[in-house]
Amino acid sequence: MTDALQPLEITAQVSYFDLELTPPQVAGEDFLMKITAKKEDGTVNESYGGSVLIEPDYVFPATGRFNISPAEGTGFAMGKLQLNANYPDAGLVTITITDKDDPSEAGTSSQILFLPAAFIVGAGQNQTVSKPFGLAVTALNARGEVTPNYNGK
């Protein structure tokens, strides 16, 4: 018996990911995200079936503490994956999709604006006619939670 080597063709290699969604979005409300695995020549890599990590990159404000849910995507069919996602905060972000096993295979969306779903306005307890008074405005997401990154712009 002799040993033989057989060349192995890697058919699931992906170069980058495209992300499609419709901005603006409402903070805390589910939205449809379409992820497509692409080959270097820009065509769909129909044999891709890996897992991807889904992460927000803060643009404005430049920092934040929330993640996109789900943080991982699986179940690609013919190189495409559709999933419902949720981001609970307001602000301007990009979303980066990275192959879980090879971080060099990634794609970043254009900027996506997430808007508050509602506002609470409060004026304190006692107000006097014709006298100035302050207002407190709090931005909320669709689940009624505060969106700390909302800054009024």
Side-chain angles (χ1 to χ4, degrees), residues 58-72:
Y58 293 91
V59 177
F60 186 78
T63 61
R65 62 176 193 213
F66 292 103
N67 290 316
I68 299 219
S69 177
E72 188 174 320

Side-chain angles (χ1 to χ4, degrees), residues 36 52 61 71 74 79 117 125 139 150:
T36 303
V52 294
T74 59
Q125 291 187 354
Y150 181 74

Side-chain angles (χ1 to χ4, degrees), residues 9-143:
E9 182 181 351
I10 299 174
T11 59
Q13 185 79 21
V14 68
S15 289
Y16 63 95
F17 296 95
D18 271 349
L19 174 64
E20 183 183 332
L21 60 95
T22 306
Q25 296 294 327
V26 176
E29 191 172 281
D30 286 350
F31 59 93
L32 181 64
M33 184 184 316
K34 298 177 183 178
I35 303 169
T36 303
K38 295 286 186 115
K39 296 179 186 177
E40 195 171 297
D41 65 4
T43 60
V44 175
N45 185 339
E46 294 181 351
S47 62
Y48 181 76
S51 297
V52 294
L53 302 176
I54 305 166
E55 300 176 291
D57 299 307
Y58 293 91
V59 177
F60 186 78
T63 61
R65 62 176 193 213
F66 292 103
N67 290 316
I68 299 219
S69 177
E72 188 174 320
T74 59
F76 278 83
M78 301 297 292
K80 297 182 179 186
L81 174 66
Q82 290 189 34
L83 53 88
N84 284 321
N86 193 297
Y87 178 68
D89 205 357
L92 194 60
V93 300
T94 59
I95 298 174
T96 298
I97 307 297
T98 307
D99 183 87
K100 187 175 180 180
D101 297 324
D102 185 355
S104 70
E105 299 169 352
T108 301
S109 72
S110 58
Q111 295 179 356
I112 305 158
L113 178 62
F114 285 86
L115 300 169
F119 296 93
I120 295 175
V121 180
Q125 291 187 354
N126 298 318
Q127 308 305 320
T128 304
V129 175
S130 299
K131 299 287 183 185
F133 60 92
L135 293 175
V137 179
T138 303
L140 304 175
N141 68 21
R143 295 180 281 193

